[in-house]
């Protein structure tokens, strides 16, 4: 079990810039994060995912990297990272970081050299073309800002390929030198003690005419090579796959257990929100039925929110419109094919709905990730550009600047009713009935039972369609999970084979079920069979 620790783990995603400033320059940094590790331990977290900390012009919040083997000055230096890793490990917390393989910043020295001259030895590090008519079947991802995946470079008269912003030219993975450079980058951070990577935007590494340039066989070959390289030289470190794709298209990223250890399950996420609004679990049931089984040593990664817009790529156009109607009533809440709001705002800051969504997150198969701040119900700031509205500073307490910085913060905080005067870590830690403690209880309960991360799952059909009820089983342990998706109290009769004695894990209360049970609006029970 030790080698597959990630199957039982709870993850926590952090924007270092927005987490905690230690030196008063207004930007969060690695030392600041180190000071807050005990908070993260108290929440019950096993593994942190650090968003990019590389030197970057920050046109895509650090996903545009100008130097792969360094830490941006505003975050500290490599020694600070080593110290962070050491302290985290002493608290039994692992750290993975973003590895951006697909593209660099246009300010990366490779690209500067590449664009300087058609004969540069670096020309072939990127994808150049005389026309912008190649790879026409490829979709544009940043629809709100990018008219094309090609941008003309005036100086050399050729176009370069980019799947994201024009300031993020795609690397040319057909070039063996590029392939090797990126293995070196991985090994640089693994040598420093990083426990693995969240590999960014992996479906797009290669381009082939006549395809949509996603999930190509060549991509899988390269990624398998990266895995073999890591297993050989750094056993126990993990790879988490960011492929925003349908389950059947993510399945190959697990290979035969020899590609990624983990992969995000993108399509389940919007369906949890659908279930809450429709008061019906059907969409969740359907997508999980459609989800192929994965190798024993692999794990899905599930989440409610992250640093991007709540993506609606993995739903039908009708479902997308419906989601926008329900969850993005104001035009500036929409972004690309998604919604740029935080969990708490999406769920009307309703404590019961937030806990219910988390109950679902924590009891479905897979390992959950919490987006920093969602454990205290932080809000968003829609006045900020693009996805910055959901990347505002962590609200530590009600002192000036939220205890985030003693200087001038790099950005605005969340305002009005959701500002740090009202919502902050200090007040929630002090209050046993707070959302923080409710979430922390879920995290810690989950960690005490392997069945959550490793067990089978079976939906239970009942006479009440607004309940999401399922059984999780692992090595003799059986859980009956009951979620009431409805805004009113609901009673459900359970099949005779489920009549038994249980203990509710979150409250530690014994409960005998001999016919039906009734749940308050949006309530949930995690029942362990005795
Ligand atoms: C991933 C990241 C996103 C970034 C993009 C390009 O989708 O989650 O934040 O903009 O890759 O690197």
């Amino acid at each position: 079990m030790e080698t597959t620790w990630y199957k039982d783990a709870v993850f926590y995603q952090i924007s270092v810039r927005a987490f905690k400033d230690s030196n008063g320059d207004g930007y969060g940094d690695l030392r600041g994060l180190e000071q807050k590790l005990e908070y993260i331990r108290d929440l019950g977290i096993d593994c942190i995912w650090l968003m990019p900390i590389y030197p970057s012009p920050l046109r895509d919040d650090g996903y545009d990297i100008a130097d792969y083997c360094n830490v941006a000055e505003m975050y500290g230096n490599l020694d600070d990272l080593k110290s962070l890793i050491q302290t985290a490990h002493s608290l039994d917390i692992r750290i993975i970081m973003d590895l951006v393989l697909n593209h660099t910043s246009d300010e990366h020295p490779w690209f500067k050299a590449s664009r300087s001259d058609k004969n540069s030895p670096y020309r072939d590090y990127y994808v150049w073309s005389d026309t912008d008519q190649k790879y026409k079947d490829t979709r544009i991802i940043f629809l709100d800002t990018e008219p094309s995946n090609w941008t003309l470079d005036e100086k050399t008269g050729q176009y370069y390929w980019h799947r994201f912003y024009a300031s993020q030219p795609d690397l040319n993975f057909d070039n063996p030198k590029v392939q090797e450079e990126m293995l070196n980058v991985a090994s640089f951070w693994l040598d420093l003690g990083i426990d693995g990577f969240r590999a960014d935007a992996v479906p797009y590494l290669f381009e082939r005419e006549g395809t949509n340039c996603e999930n190509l066989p060549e991509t899988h070959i390269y990624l398998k090579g990266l895995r073999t390289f890591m297993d050989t030289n750094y056993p126990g470190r993990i790879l988490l796959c960011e492929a925003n794709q349908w389950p059947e298209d993510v399945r190959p990223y697990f290979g035969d257990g020899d590609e990624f250890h983990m992969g995000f399950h993108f399509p389940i996420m919007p369906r949890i929100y659908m279930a809450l609004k429709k008061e019906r679990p059907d969409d969740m049931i359907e997508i999980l039925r459609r989800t192929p089984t994965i190798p024993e040593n692999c794990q899905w990664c599930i989440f409610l929110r992250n640093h991007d817009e709540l993506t609606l790529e993995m739903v039908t156009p009708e479902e997308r419109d419906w989601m926008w109607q329900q969850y993005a009533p104001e035009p500036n809440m929409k972004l690309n094919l998604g919604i740029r709001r935080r969990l708490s705002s999406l769920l009307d800051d309703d404590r019961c709905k937030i806990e219910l969504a988390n109950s679902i997150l924590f009891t479905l198969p897979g390992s959950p990730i919490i987006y920093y701040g969602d454990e205290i119900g932080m809000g968003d700031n829609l006045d900020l550009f693009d996805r910055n509205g959901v990347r505002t500073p962590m609200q530590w307490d009600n002192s000036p600047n939220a205890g985030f910085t003693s200087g001038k913060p790099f950005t605005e905080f969340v305002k009005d009713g959701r500002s740090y005067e009202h919502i902050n870590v200090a007040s929630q830690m002090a209050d046993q009935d707070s959302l923080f403690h409710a979430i922390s209880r879920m995290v810690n309960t989950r960690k005490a039972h392997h069945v959550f991360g490793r067990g089978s799952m079976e939906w239970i059909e009942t006479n009440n369609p607004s309940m999401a009820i399922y059984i999780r089983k692992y090595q003799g342990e059986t859980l009956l999970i009951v979620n009431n998706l409805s805004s009113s109290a609901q009673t459900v009769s359970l099949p005779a084979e489920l009549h038994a004695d249980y203990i509710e894990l979150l409250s530690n209360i014994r409960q005998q079920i001999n016919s039906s049970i009734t749940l308050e609006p949006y309530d949930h029970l995690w029942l362990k069979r005795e």
Side-chain angles (χ1 to χ4, degrees):
M1 289 212 173
E2 187 47 31
T3 54
T4 50
W5 59 270
Y6 47 87
K7 293 192 73 164
D8 305 304
V10 178
F11 290 72
Y12 190 67
Q13 177 187 357
I14 292 181
S15 159
V16 175
R17 187 150 46 110
F19 205 61
K20 172 70 187 167
D21 174 18
S22 73
N23 61 3
D25 69 355
Y27 294 88
D29 48 44
L30 295 167
R31 292 272 167 202
L33 168 53
E34 188 173 342
Q35 290 165 14
K36 293 297 184 185
L37 282 174
E38 280 172 22
Y39 166 75
I40 295 169
R41 193 254 337 259
D42 290 347
L43 180 57
I45 297 305
D46 302 285
C47 185
I48 292 171
W49 152 24
L50 290 186
M51 289 167 59
I53 52 171
Y54 308 87
S56 159
L58 296 184
R59 303 244 175 70
D60 185 13
D61 217 353
Y63 284 93
D64 47 331
I65 297 174
D67 177 357
Y68 279 92
C69 295
N70 219 333
V71 168
E73 229 180 283
M74 70 167 101
Y75 303 130
N77 57 37
L78 291 169
D79 284 334
D80 296 334
L81 182 69
K82 280 189 213 157
S83 164
L84 173 72
I85 295 173
Q86 212 170 30
T87 311
H89 285 174
S90 74
L91 295 170
D92 274 333
I93 298 172
R94 288 179 164 92
I95 303 189
I96 62 171
M97 66 191 289
D98 258 294
L99 178 66
V100 184
L101 297 167
N102 181 66
H103 46 266
T104 70
S105 159
D106 58 359
E107 292 187 22
H108 193 289
W110 297 339
F111 190 69
K112 287 188 183 164
S114 184
R115 81 187 316 176
S116 69
D117 181 353
K118 276 190 181 172
N119 298 315
S120 156
Y122 286 97
R123 188 70 173 178
D124 203 31
Y125 268 47
Y126 295 85
V127 183
W128 292 97
S129 159
D130 289 330
T131 91
D132 58 358
Q133 297 303 305
K134 280 169 82 175
Y135 313 137
K136 290 294 265 183
D137 301 331
T138 309
R139 71 186 164 122
I140 295 170
I141 296 169
F142 287 166
L143 279 168
D144 287 1
T145 42
E146 299 306 309
S148 165
N149 288 320
W150 291 108
T151 291
L152 179 66
D153 177 53
E154 303 273 347
K155 183 164 174 232
T156 56
Q158 283 192 314
Y159 295 86
Y160 64 89
W161 178 250
H162 54 89
R163 291 306 304 273
F164 297 94
Y165 294 127
S167 53
Q168 288 165 301
D170 272 37
L171 283 163
N172 174 20
F173 271 82
D174 276 315
N175 181 346
K177 285 209 198 104
V178 167
Q179 298 198 6
E180 195 190 315
E181 296 271 17
M182 297 321 274
L183 291 189
N184 293 339
V185 169
S187 99
F188 177 84
W189 297 102
L190 294 164
D191 284 338
L192 276 173
I194 275 289
D195 295 290
F197 300 108
R198 177 253 191 201
D200 183 72
V202 290
Y204 321 118
L205 301 188
F206 286 81
E207 300 74 36
R208 289 291 178 266
E209 202 55 75
T211 72
N212 66 357
C213 296
E214 299 190 6
N215 312 320
L216 297 178
E218 293 82 351
T219 295
H220 288 290
I221 293 171
Y222 180 73
L223 293 168
K224 277 202 168 80
L226 170 63
R227 169 66 180 269
T228 307
F229 173 79
M230 283 176 58
D231 280 355
T232 311
N233 301 294
Y234 307 94
R237 320 286 182 97
I238 61 161
L239 281 171
L240 162 60
C241 170
E242 192 221 9
N244 187 353
Q245 305 281 332
W246 293 101
E248 57 274 20
D249 295 325
V250 180
R251 173 63 189 84
Y253 288 94
F254 295 111
D256 298 318
D258 58 354
E259 203 168 313
F260 280 91
H261 301 79
M262 307 185 78
F264 289 112
H265 199 307
F266 276 93
I268 185 68
M269 182 273 297
R271 288 168 178 81
I272 297 176
Y273 292 92
M274 288 181 196
L276 261 86
K277 220 28 131 183
K278 294 185 184 171
E279 309 196 350
R280 292 279 183 284
D282 309 14
D283 300 299
M284 280 166 44
I285 297 177
E286 201 262 331
I287 201 73
L288 291 179
R289 278 219 178 102
R290 187 175 158 181
T291 300
T293 53
I294 57 176
E296 191 55 38
N297 60 341
C298 295
Q299 179 71 315
W300 290 106
C301 215
I302 48 181
F303 59 98
L304 295 170
R305 285 298 290 114
N306 61 21
H307 63 298
D308 289 324
E309 66 274 29
L310 186 166
T311 163
L312 298 173
E313 277 160 281
M314 293 301 122
V315 297
T316 65
E318 298 73 36
E319 289 170 331
R320 188 176 304 136
D321 285 339
W322 184 86
M323 280 291 288
W324 272 330
Q325 262 167 37
Q326 301 295 326
Y327 284 108
E330 291 166 30
N332 72 344
M333 293 173 171
K334 290 189 189 174
L335 178 68
N336 301 318
L337 290 185
I339 304 172
R340 52 184 206 111
R341 303 178 76 192
R342 277 254 191 187
L343 175 68
S344 184
S345 344
L346 286 160
L347 300 183
D348 313 313
D349 302 304
D350 179 323
R351 176 69 188 272
C352 296
K353 287 191 212 168
I354 296 171
E355 277 189 47
L356 176 64
N358 277 287
S359 163
I360 296 172
L361 177 76
F362 280 101
T363 55
L364 289 182
S367 295
I369 294 204
I370 299 172
Y371 183 49
Y372 83 94
D374 279 348
E375 74 277 18
I376 56 165
M378 250 173 71
D380 42 58
N381 183 335
L382 291 171
D383 294 343
L384 298 174
F385 174 68
D386 206 276
R387 292 157 291 169
N388 294 344
V390 300
R391 301 175 184 180
T392 59
M394 184 70 174
Q395 299 172 186
W396 293 105
D397 56 42
N398 64 6
S399 69
N401 294 326
F404 162 70
T405 180
S406 58
K408 183 177 173 298
F410 72 93
T411 185
E412 273 181 15
F413 288 90
V414 177
K415 294 185 280 201
D416 308 326
R418 299 187 185 116
S419 70
Y420 57 80
E421 286 88 354
H422 306 281
I423 294 173
N424 62 65
V425 169
S427 66
Q428 294 204 17
M429 300 246 341
D431 171 9
Q432 282 307 314
D433 293 326
S434 66
L435 178 63
F436 170 85
H437 285 291
I439 302 288
S440 170
R441 204 171 309 127
M442 288 191 199
V443 176
N444 287 296
T445 303
R446 195 194 139 92
K447 284 165 50 142
H449 302 268
H450 288 298
V451 59
F452 289 102
R454 297 172 188 261
S456 61
M457 177 188 190
E458 185 199 337
W459 289 93
I460 304 297
E461 269 188 55
T462 65
N463 61 346
N464 189 328
S466 47
M467 303 280 242
I469 308 182
Y470 37 94
I471 301 276
R472 305 288 319 269
K473 267 191 194 162
Y474 184 68
Q475 294 188 342
E477 189 169 15
T478 301
L479 299 184
L480 170 62
I481 309 290
V482 189
N483 297 298
N484 178 11
L485 302 171
S486 166
S487 53
S488 55
Q490 295 290 326
T491 300
V492 58
S493 347
L494 289 168
E497 65 268 23
L498 297 179
H499 298 175
D501 291 332
Y502 294 90
I503 177 148
E504 206 287 324
L505 292 176
L506 297 168
S507 59
N508 253 320
I509 294 175
R510 277 175 204 285
Q511 194 161 341
Q512 195 181 45
I513 297 182
N514 37 36
S515 59
S516 62
I517 42 172
T518 300
L519 268 74
E520 293 301 309
Y522 300 120
D523 203 3
H524 54 275
L525 298 172
W526 296 5
L527 299 163
K528 177 176 149 62
R529 193 166 178 145
E530 301 228 87

